[in-house]
Amino acid sequence: MLRTILLGSCVMVQGQYLRSLPDGKIVVLVEGHQFTGHPVAQRKAA
């Protein structure tokens, strides 16, 4: 499943969801690299 995370004030990364961390952050995989950040809220389609 693809997830989007916020790395900084305006930098987002989208990648394959790997796991959740106890502090509320999640880890995603992008081209072999793991990134950790706060998940972006998912919206329902209109």
Side-chain angles (χ1 to χ4, degrees):
M1 167 176 28
L2 285 179
R3 294 292 303 265
T4 304
I5 59 171
L6 188 61
L7 296 178
S9 61
C10 60
V11 178
M12 295 184 190
V13 174
Q14 188 173 43
Q16 181 182 359
Y17 171 80
L18 293 179
R19 64 185 174 277
S20 296
L21 301 177
D23 62 357
K25 295 180 181 180
I26 63 172
V27 181
V28 296
L29 182 66
V30 181
E31 295 184 1
H33 299 281
Q34 293 184 13
F35 293 91
T36 302
H38 294 281
V40 174
Q42 297 177 347
R43 291 206 243 172
K44 294 184 178 179

Short mmCIF file of all heavy atoms in Angstrom, two decimals:
data_model
loop_
_atom_site.label_atom_id
_atom_site.label_comp_id
_atom_site.label_asym_id
_atom_site.label_seq_id
_atom_site.Cartn_x
_atom_site.Cartn_y
_atom_site.Cartn_z
N MET A 1 0.84 -1.16 0.00
CA MET A 1 0.00 0.00 0.00
C MET A 1 0.90 1.24 0.00
O MET A 1 1.88 1.30 0.74
CB MET A 1 -0.89 -0.01 1.25
CG MET A 1 -1.56 1.28 1.50
SD MET A 1 -2.72 1.42 2.88
CE MET A 1 -2.20 0.26 4.06
N LEU A 2 0.59 2.22 -0.83
CA LEU A 2 1.33 3.46 -0.87
C LEU A 2 0.87 4.39 0.24
O LEU A 2 -0.32 4.50 0.51
CB LEU A 2 1.14 4.16 -2.21
CG LEU A 2 1.87 3.57 -3.40
CD1 LEU A 2 1.53 4.37 -4.66
CD2 LEU A 2 3.36 3.55 -3.19
N ARG A 3 1.83 5.05 0.88
CA ARG A 3 1.53 6.03 1.92
C ARG A 3 2.39 7.25 1.69
O ARG A 3 3.50 7.16 1.14
CB ARG A 3 1.83 5.47 3.31
CG ARG A 3 0.96 4.32 3.75
CD ARG A 3 -0.50 4.69 4.00
NE ARG A 3 -0.67 5.74 4.98
CZ ARG A 3 -0.92 5.55 6.27
NH1 ARG A 3 -1.02 4.33 6.74
NH2 ARG A 3 -1.06 6.58 7.08
N THR A 4 1.89 8.40 2.10
CA THR A 4 2.62 9.65 1.99
C THR A 4 3.00 10.12 3.38
O THR A 4 2.18 10.08 4.29
CB THR A 4 1.75 10.73 1.29
OG1 THR A 4 1.33 10.23 0.03
CG2 THR A 4 2.52 12.01 1.09
N ILE A 5 4.26 10.57 3.52
CA ILE A 5 4.72 11.07 4.81
C ILE A 5 5.29 12.47 4.64
O ILE A 5 5.72 12.86 3.55
CB ILE A 5 5.77 10.15 5.46
CG1 ILE A 5 6.99 9.99 4.56
CG2 ILE A 5 5.18 8.82 5.83
CD1 ILE A 5 8.16 9.27 5.22
N LEU A 6 5.28 13.21 5.73
CA LEU A 6 5.83 14.56 5.77
C LEU A 6 7.18 14.51 6.45
O LEU A 6 7.30 14.08 7.60
CB LEU A 6 4.87 15.47 6.55
CG LEU A 6 5.15 16.95 6.57
CD1 LEU A 6 5.11 17.52 5.15
CD2 LEU A 6 4.12 17.65 7.44
N LEU A 7 8.24 14.91 5.71
CA LEU A 7 9.60 14.87 6.24
C LEU A 7 9.99 16.18 6.91
O LEU A 7 10.74 16.21 7.87
CB LEU A 7 10.61 14.55 5.14
CG LEU A 7 10.50 13.19 4.49
CD1 LEU A 7 11.53 13.04 3.39
CD2 LEU A 7 10.65 12.09 5.51
N GLY A 8 9.52 17.27 6.38
CA GLY A 8 9.84 18.60 6.91
C GLY A 8 8.60 19.46 6.83
O GLY A 8 7.48 18.96 6.78
N SER A 9 8.79 20.77 6.81
CA SER A 9 7.64 21.66 6.78
C SER A 9 6.90 21.61 5.44
O SER A 9 5.70 21.87 5.39
CB SER A 9 8.06 23.09 7.07
OG SER A 9 8.98 23.54 6.09
N CYS A 10 7.62 21.25 4.35
CA CYS A 10 6.95 21.20 3.05
C CYS A 10 7.52 20.11 2.13
O CYS A 10 7.36 20.18 0.92
CB CYS A 10 7.00 22.56 2.36
SG CYS A 10 8.66 23.13 2.05
N VAL A 11 8.19 19.11 2.69
CA VAL A 11 8.76 18.02 1.91
C VAL A 11 7.99 16.74 2.20
O VAL A 11 7.91 16.31 3.35
CB VAL A 11 10.26 17.82 2.24
CG1 VAL A 11 10.81 16.65 1.45
CG2 VAL A 11 11.04 19.07 1.95
N MET A 12 7.40 16.18 1.15
CA MET A 12 6.63 14.94 1.29
C MET A 12 7.25 13.84 0.44
O MET A 12 7.84 14.13 -0.60
CB MET A 12 5.19 15.15 0.86
CG MET A 12 4.43 16.10 1.71
SD MET A 12 2.72 16.17 1.18
CE MET A 12 2.15 17.54 2.15
N VAL A 13 7.10 12.60 0.90
CA VAL A 13 7.60 11.44 0.18
C VAL A 13 6.48 10.41 0.14
O VAL A 13 5.77 10.22 1.13
CB VAL A 13 8.83 10.83 0.90
CG1 VAL A 13 9.26 9.54 0.24
CG2 VAL A 13 9.97 11.81 0.92
N GLN A 14 6.33 9.77 -1.00
CA GLN A 14 5.33 8.72 -1.14
C GLN A 14 6.03 7.42 -1.48
O GLN A 14 6.87 7.36 -2.37
CB GLN A 14 4.33 9.07 -2.24
CG GLN A 14 3.16 8.11 -2.29
CD GLN A 14 2.11 8.57 -3.29
OE1 GLN A 14 2.45 9.00 -4.39
NE2 GLN A 14 0.87 8.49 -2.89
N GLY A 15 5.69 6.36 -0.73
CA GLY A 15 6.33 5.08 -0.97
C GLY A 15 5.53 3.94 -0.37
O GLY A 15 4.46 4.13 0.18
N GLN A 16 6.10 2.75 -0.46
CA GLN A 16 5.45 1.55 0.05
C GLN A 16 5.53 1.54 1.57
O GLN A 16 6.61 1.67 2.15
CB GLN A 16 6.13 0.31 -0.52
CG GLN A 16 5.49 -0.98 -0.07
CD GLN A 16 6.23 -2.19 -0.61
OE1 GLN A 16 7.21 -2.07 -1.33
NE2 GLN A 16 5.75 -3.35 -0.25
N TYR A 17 4.38 1.36 2.21
CA TYR A 17 4.31 1.32 3.68
C TYR A 17 5.06 0.11 4.21
O TYR A 17 4.89 -1.00 3.72
CB TYR A 17 2.85 1.27 4.11
CG TYR A 17 2.65 1.03 5.58
CD1 TYR A 17 2.77 2.06 6.48
CD2 TYR A 17 2.37 -0.24 6.05
CE1 TYR A 17 2.59 1.84 7.84
CE2 TYR A 17 2.19 -0.48 7.40
CZ TYR A 17 2.30 0.57 8.29
OH TYR A 17 2.13 0.34 9.62
N LEU A 18 5.91 0.32 5.21
CA LEU A 18 6.64 -0.78 5.84
C LEU A 18 6.15 -1.06 7.25
O LEU A 18 5.80 -2.18 7.58
CB LEU A 18 8.15 -0.48 5.88
CG LEU A 18 8.86 -0.44 4.54
CD1 LEU A 18 10.33 -0.11 4.73
CD2 LEU A 18 8.70 -1.75 3.79
N ARG A 19 6.14 -0.02 8.12
CA ARG A 19 5.74 -0.24 9.51
C ARG A 19 5.42 1.08 10.19
O ARG A 19 5.81 2.15 9.73
CB ARG A 19 6.83 -0.97 10.28
CG ARG A 19 8.11 -0.18 10.42
CD ARG A 19 9.20 -1.02 11.11
NE ARG A 19 10.47 -0.31 11.13
CZ ARG A 19 11.34 -0.26 10.14
NH1 ARG A 19 11.09 -0.90 9.01
NH2 ARG A 19 12.47 0.40 10.25
N SER A 20 4.74 0.96 11.33
CA SER A 20 4.44 2.10 12.19
C SER A 20 5.40 2.09 13.37
O SER A 20 5.82 1.02 13.83
CB SER A 20 3.01 2.03 12.72
OG SER A 20 2.09 2.12 11.68
N LEU A 21 5.73 3.26 13.88
CA LEU A 21 6.62 3.39 15.03
C LEU A 21 5.81 3.84 16.25
O LEU A 21 4.74 4.45 16.10
CB LEU A 21 7.73 4.40 14.72
CG LEU A 21 8.61 4.06 13.52
CD1 LEU A 21 9.62 5.17 13.27
CD2 LEU A 21 9.33 2.74 13.73
N PRO A 22 6.30 3.57 17.45
CA PRO A 22 5.56 3.92 18.67
C PRO A 22 5.28 5.42 18.84
O PRO A 22 4.31 5.79 19.49
CB PRO A 22 6.47 3.44 19.80
CG PRO A 22 7.41 2.48 19.18
CD PRO A 22 7.54 2.85 17.75
N ASP A 23 6.09 6.27 18.21
CA ASP A 23 5.90 7.72 18.36
C ASP A 23 4.90 8.30 17.36
O ASP A 23 4.73 9.51 17.26
CB ASP A 23 7.23 8.45 18.25
CG ASP A 23 7.91 8.27 16.91
OD1 ASP A 23 7.39 7.53 16.06
OD2 ASP A 23 9.00 8.85 16.72
N GLY A 24 4.23 7.45 16.58
CA GLY A 24 3.22 7.90 15.63
C GLY A 24 3.73 8.08 14.21
O GLY A 24 2.95 8.32 13.29
N LYS A 25 5.03 7.98 14.02
CA LYS A 25 5.59 8.09 12.67
C LYS A 25 5.47 6.74 11.96
O LYS A 25 5.24 5.72 12.59
CB LYS A 25 7.05 8.50 12.74
CG LYS A 25 7.26 9.88 13.31
CD LYS A 25 8.73 10.23 13.35
CE LYS A 25 8.95 11.62 13.93
NZ LYS A 25 10.38 11.96 13.97
N ILE A 26 5.62 6.77 10.62
CA ILE A 26 5.62 5.54 9.85
C ILE A 26 6.85 5.51 8.96
O ILE A 26 7.49 6.54 8.72
CB ILE A 26 4.34 5.37 9.00
CG1 ILE A 26 4.20 6.47 7.95
CG2 ILE A 26 3.10 5.29 9.87
CD1 ILE A 26 3.07 6.24 6.96
N VAL A 27 7.18 4.32 8.48
CA VAL A 27 8.35 4.12 7.62
C VAL A 27 7.85 3.67 6.25
O VAL A 27 7.00 2.78 6.16
CB VAL A 27 9.30 3.05 8.21
CG1 VAL A 27 10.51 2.86 7.32
CG2 VAL A 27 9.72 3.43 9.62
N VAL A 28 8.37 4.32 5.19
CA VAL A 28 8.03 3.95 3.82
C VAL A 28 9.31 3.62 3.06
O VAL A 28 10.39 4.10 3.40
CB VAL A 28 7.23 5.04 3.08
CG1 VAL A 28 5.90 5.29 3.74
CG2 VAL A 28 8.01 6.32 2.96
N LEU A 29 9.17 2.81 2.02
CA LEU A 29 10.29 2.40 1.19
C LEU A 29 10.16 3.05 -0.18
O LEU A 29 9.12 2.92 -0.85
CB LEU A 29 10.29 0.87 1.04
CG LEU A 29 11.42 0.26 0.23
CD1 LEU A 29 12.76 0.47 0.94
CD2 LEU A 29 11.17 -1.23 0.01
N VAL A 30 11.23 3.76 -0.59
CA VAL A 30 11.26 4.43 -1.90
C VAL A 30 12.57 4.06 -2.59
O VAL A 30 13.64 4.46 -2.13
CB VAL A 30 11.15 5.96 -1.76
CG1 VAL A 30 11.16 6.63 -3.12
CG2 VAL A 30 9.92 6.36 -0.97
N GLU A 31 12.48 3.29 -3.66
CA GLU A 31 13.65 2.90 -4.45
C GLU A 31 14.79 2.37 -3.58
O GLU A 31 15.95 2.76 -3.73
CB GLU A 31 14.12 4.06 -5.32
CG GLU A 31 13.12 4.45 -6.38
CD GLU A 31 13.64 5.54 -7.31
OE1 GLU A 31 14.80 5.98 -7.14
OE2 GLU A 31 12.89 5.93 -8.20
N GLY A 32 14.46 1.51 -2.63
CA GLY A 32 15.47 0.88 -1.79
C GLY A 32 15.88 1.68 -0.57
O GLY A 32 16.69 1.22 0.23
N HIS A 33 15.34 2.88 -0.40
CA HIS A 33 15.67 3.72 0.75
C HIS A 33 14.47 3.82 1.68
O HIS A 33 13.34 3.97 1.22
CB HIS A 33 16.07 5.13 0.30
CG HIS A 33 17.28 5.16 -0.57
ND1 HIS A 33 18.55 5.05 -0.08
CD2 HIS A 33 17.40 5.25 -1.92
CE1 HIS A 33 19.41 5.10 -1.09
NE2 HIS A 33 18.72 5.21 -2.22
N GLN A 34 14.72 3.76 2.98
CA GLN A 34 13.65 3.88 3.96
C GLN A 34 13.60 5.31 4.48
O GLN A 34 14.63 5.89 4.81
CB GLN A 34 13.88 2.92 5.12
CG GLN A 34 13.76 1.47 4.72
CD GLN A 34 13.90 0.53 5.91
OE1 GLN A 34 13.87 0.94 7.06
NE2 GLN A 34 14.06 -0.75 5.61
N PHE A 35 12.39 5.87 4.53
CA PHE A 35 12.17 7.21 5.05
C PHE A 35 11.18 7.13 6.20
O PHE A 35 10.21 6.38 6.15
CB PHE A 35 11.60 8.13 3.96
CG PHE A 35 12.57 8.40 2.83
CD1 PHE A 35 12.58 7.59 1.72
CD2 PHE A 35 13.44 9.47 2.90
CE1 PHE A 35 13.46 7.83 0.67
CE2 PHE A 35 14.33 9.72 1.87
CZ PHE A 35 14.34 8.90 0.75
N THR A 36 11.43 7.94 7.23
CA THR A 36 10.55 7.98 8.40
C THR A 36 9.98 9.38 8.53
O THR A 36 10.70 10.37 8.41
CB THR A 36 11.36 7.65 9.67
OG1 THR A 36 11.96 6.37 9.51
CG2 THR A 36 10.46 7.63 10.89
N GLY A 37 8.67 9.46 8.78
CA GLY A 37 8.04 10.77 8.95
C GLY A 37 6.62 10.62 9.43
O GLY A 37 6.12 9.53 9.66
N HIS A 38 5.98 11.77 9.59
CA HIS A 38 4.59 11.80 10.04
C HIS A 38 3.66 11.49 8.86
O HIS A 38 3.83 12.06 7.79
CB HIS A 38 4.24 13.16 10.62
CG HIS A 38 5.00 13.45 11.88
ND1 HIS A 38 4.64 12.93 13.10
CD2 HIS A 38 6.11 14.20 12.10
CE1 HIS A 38 5.49 13.34 14.02
NE2 HIS A 38 6.41 14.11 13.43
N PRO A 39 2.69 10.61 9.05
CA PRO A 39 1.78 10.28 7.95
C PRO A 39 0.88 11.47 7.60
O PRO A 39 0.47 12.23 8.48
CB PRO A 39 0.95 9.12 8.49
CG PRO A 39 1.06 9.22 9.97
CD PRO A 39 2.37 9.87 10.26
N VAL A 40 0.60 11.63 6.31
CA VAL A 40 -0.33 12.63 5.84
C VAL A 40 -1.72 12.03 5.92
O VAL A 40 -1.93 10.87 5.49
CB VAL A 40 0.01 13.06 4.40
CG1 VAL A 40 -1.04 14.00 3.84
CG2 VAL A 40 1.39 13.68 4.34
N ALA A 41 -2.68 12.77 6.46
CA ALA A 41 -4.04 12.26 6.62
C ALA A 41 -4.64 11.88 5.28
O ALA A 41 -4.49 12.60 4.29
CB ALA A 41 -4.90 13.31 7.30
N GLN A 42 -5.31 10.73 5.26
CA GLN A 42 -5.96 10.27 4.04
C GLN A 42 -7.33 10.91 3.93
O GLN A 42 -8.03 11.06 4.92
CB GLN A 42 -6.10 8.75 4.05
CG GLN A 42 -4.79 8.02 4.08
CD GLN A 42 -4.96 6.53 4.16
OE1 GLN A 42 -6.04 6.04 4.42
NE2 GLN A 42 -3.89 5.80 3.96
N ARG A 43 -7.71 11.28 2.71
CA ARG A 43 -9.02 11.87 2.48
C ARG A 43 -9.88 10.90 1.69
O ARG A 43 -9.37 10.15 0.87
CB ARG A 43 -8.90 13.16 1.68
CG ARG A 43 -8.27 14.28 2.44
CD ARG A 43 -8.76 15.57 1.87
NE ARG A 43 -7.67 16.34 1.30
CZ ARG A 43 -7.86 17.43 0.60
NH1 ARG A 43 -9.06 17.85 0.34
NH2 ARG A 43 -6.84 18.10 0.13
N LYS A 44 -11.15 10.96 1.93
CA LYS A 44 -12.10 10.15 1.17
C LYS A 44 -12.40 10.86 -0.14
O LYS A 44 -12.46 12.08 -0.21
CB LYS A 44 -13.39 9.94 1.94
CG LYS A 44 -13.19 9.12 3.20
CD LYS A 44 -14.51 8.85 3.87
CE LYS A 44 -14.28 7.98 5.10
NZ LYS A 44 -15.54 7.72 5.80
N ALA A 45 -12.60 10.07 -1.20
CA ALA A 45 -12.92 10.64 -2.50
C ALA A 45 -14.30 11.27 -2.46
O ALA A 45 -15.21 10.79 -1.78
CB ALA A 45 -12.88 9.56 -3.58
N ALA A 46 -14.45 12.35 -3.20
CA ALA A 46 -15.75 13.07 -3.22
C ALA A 46 -16.76 12.34 -4.06
O ALA A 46 -16.51 11.59 -4.92
CB ALA A 46 -15.54 14.47 -3.75
#
